[in-house]
Amino acid sequence: ASFLHPEPHPAMRTAVALAAAANGAFVPTTTTVTKWVVNQTCNGSTLYVAQLANETAYEFPPQVIDLHGSRWQQGYDYAIILHKQAAAVWQAVTGNELSKLELVVVQAVLDHMWDTEIVPHLDDQIKEELAGVDQASVDVGAPEFGRLLRRGVGLSNFNGPPVGDIIWTIIHDLLQRSGDDPEVARAAPPSLPPAERAAALVAVWEALMARKTWVLNMGCSQFALWGGNTKEGKLLQGRNWDWAFNTGADRYKLVTVWHPPEQGAQAYFIAGMA
């Protein structure tokens, strides 16, 4: 890809060049960003939409969000600008393949995965960003967005279905927290003994796994390093996320550029969805 000035930040040239290497049909393409159109700003951060010379390269053009400020501020700005788009991505990815009851069960699995497998490896900088996200969620009147974002992280890094005692533990926790959830009540009536209620929801999970839905079987490559494998033991994680045209989420494809506030830190980016 080739680019024309002006551009918001040099890191974005590399970011969009790499992200534009393949379009939604996985066919290499060449395009030119002729103009960066400012879509929205918050504090020192800006969301741009790339105006392309070859408008047929994408049905929906890529976006770039350029985040600045403290770790907390960057998380806050991201959520203020993109909470609606990110929620739409979640709906596009899960809404077409999962029933309401299946979604309740999947969310319970992802919440457990976040608490037990992801949180122990998060460093303080990521936690600070998430605190900013949580505050922005409250400020825009969408207090559940922080949890949705965490579920999205779990889904995009899903490492296989929990089985055995783990899934039973998750389901028992779900039953204790579900309250009057109508989907849970229909599938597992409160009049049944606890073991039978749990068995009914475990059966829902097992049937979902047997169905091999795309949303839980994306099979994208990923890696993670932490502890003694990285400098200062910090978590390094990466994965590929194709801008597939048939998911509905491609409308919200996004390159995110972070500018870490720490002295000497380099700007970095990811290509994915809002």
Side-chain angles (χ1 to χ4, degrees):
S2 58
F3 299 87
L4 300 177
H5 290 283
E7 58 187 40
H9 189 276
M12 294 167 62
R13 172 181 299 192
T14 303
V16 177
L18 293 176
N23 64 14
F26 306 102
V27 177
T29 187
T30 301
T31 189
T32 301
V33 177
T34 58
K35 185 178 181 181
W36 296 99
V37 180
V38 175
N39 180 280
Q40 189 174 347
T41 62
C42 181
N43 299 305
S45 303
T46 305
L47 177 67
Y48 299 88
V49 178
Q51 191 173 89
L52 306 177
N54 178 12
E55 294 184 356
T56 63
Y58 296 101
E59 181 179 3
F60 304 103
Q63 305 174 101
V64 176
I65 187 166
D66 197 30
L67 296 170
H68 293 264
S70 67
R71 293 282 184 170
W72 186 96
Q73 190 69 66
Q74 292 186 53
Y76 183 91
D77 292 355
Y78 164 86
I80 289 288
I81 294 173
L82 289 169
H83 68 279
K84 290 183 178 179
Q85 288 197 35
V89 170
W90 174 261
Q91 177 60 33
V93 171
T94 63
N96 294 329
E97 289 210 348
L98 302 178
S99 69
K100 291 181 179 180
L101 177 60
E102 288 171 338
L103 181 57
V104 169
V105 175
V106 167
Q107 289 177 161
V109 170
L110 295 176
D111 290 347
H112 181 271
M113 178 180 172
W114 175 267
D115 293 337
T116 62
E117 298 182 27
I118 297 178
V119 168
H121 302 294
L122 296 181
D123 60 37
D124 291 340
Q125 294 170 341
I126 297 177
K127 292 177 181 177
E128 188 178 348
E129 291 176 10
L130 288 171
V133 168
D134 291 339
Q135 183 59 56
S137 301
V138 173
D139 290 351
V140 298
E144 292 300 312
F145 175 70
R147 172 56 70 179
L148 184 149
L149 181 69
R150 290 163 170 82
R151 288 169 176 164
V153 171
L155 184 62
S156 64
N157 295 281
F158 192 66
N159 61 355
V163 296
D165 291 343
I166 297 177
I167 187 61
W168 282 90
T169 298
I170 294 171
I171 294 301
H172 279 296
D173 290 345
L174 169 61
L175 287 171
Q176 292 178 359
R177 293 184 287 104
S178 60
D180 298 326
D181 187 294
E183 300 299 327
V184 173
R186 276 193 288 269
S191 58
L192 293 177
E196 292 185 25
R197 297 190 74 202
L201 294 186
V202 169
V204 171
W205 173 255
E206 292 176 343
L208 177 60
M209 292 299 96
R211 206 169 83 228
K212 294 190 178 300
T213 59
W214 172 82
V215 69
L216 294 174
N217 291 275
M218 290 181 280
C220 295
S221 302
Q222 58 182 302
F223 73 90
L225 300 169
W226 65 90
N229 298 301
T230 64
K231 185 178 180 180
E232 300 178 356
K234 292 186 176 181
L235 172 67
L236 294 177
Q237 184 270 340
R239 59 157 293 147
N240 72 301
W241 184 282
D242 300 308
W243 287 346
F245 66 91
N246 61 346
T247 65
D250 63 306
R251 186 185 188 106
Y252 309 102
K253 48 187 167 280
L254 177 75
V255 174
T256 303
V257 182
W258 278 276
H259 297 270
E262 295 80 23
Q263 185 176 3
Q266 297 293 317
Y268 62 95
F269 71 92
I270 62 169
M273 307 294 179

